[in-house]
Amino acid sequence: LCALPITPAVLMRGLEHGLAPPAGAAPPQAVVILSADASQGLPGSIIDGIDAGSLTLQRLRAGARLARAKALPILVTGGVPHPGWPPLGAMMAGVLARDFATQTRWVETRSDDTWQNAEYSAAILRRAGVTSVYLVSSGWHLRRALIAFRHFGIAATPAPVRLEPWPENWAESLTPTAGAWQRSYWAMHEWIGCAVYWWWDRG
């Protein structure tokens, strides 16, 4: 069932539908880009060593484009993904400078998850007088991230990298694929995470 494209399409439609800026919030003063993954390439690769993974790269590309369009400073956030690896935040700042010719104003490197992304980023932003931001992430991740940033007092306007398309036809939607299995995993992870964050937010 999870390998059928219709399953993640339905699950992600619920995650991505209805995302909206907080009512009455001030215009965003910065762009916050959330980390996702890292990868490691062997010597001889064009991109060797430890660097941002594919999901993180998508978010960086979208965040750089948004920051240039809005002329806003960037905060990147992400801690150490594996023991002995550099923090994702530092990798992200490096990729933005090297590959997107875009400078980062603030780099958060202590967080282990989305809740801590929000907690530690909020502290940095408040010190800079920033209370309202564009929040850049995968569309299916934003609902959970918005709960966390709201909890820590930052008004976040969702800025999804890409919204999940609906299958083009019923034959495609009912043909199992490995990609659908991956998207189903992401969607179920997010729905569970939303429930947990909703409980933490109430507490």
Side-chain angles (χ1 to χ4, degrees), residues 33-49:
I33 308 174
L34 300 179
S35 58
D37 55 349
S39 61
Q40 186 172 24
L42 294 176
S45 310
I46 294 175
I47 303 176
D48 61 358

Side-chain angles (χ1 to χ4, degrees), residues 3 5 20 23 26 30-31 33 40 48 60 65 78 80 87 91 108 113 115-116 119 122 125 127 129 132 134 169 188:
V31 173
I33 308 174
Q40 186 172 24
D48 61 358
L60 290 171
R65 182 181 296 183
V80 175
M91 293 184 219
E108 186 285 306
D113 53 34
W115 191 261
Q116 290 184 353
E119 180 181 7
L125 293 166
R127 287 196 295 271
S132 181
Y134 286 109
N169 53 63
M188 289 187 290

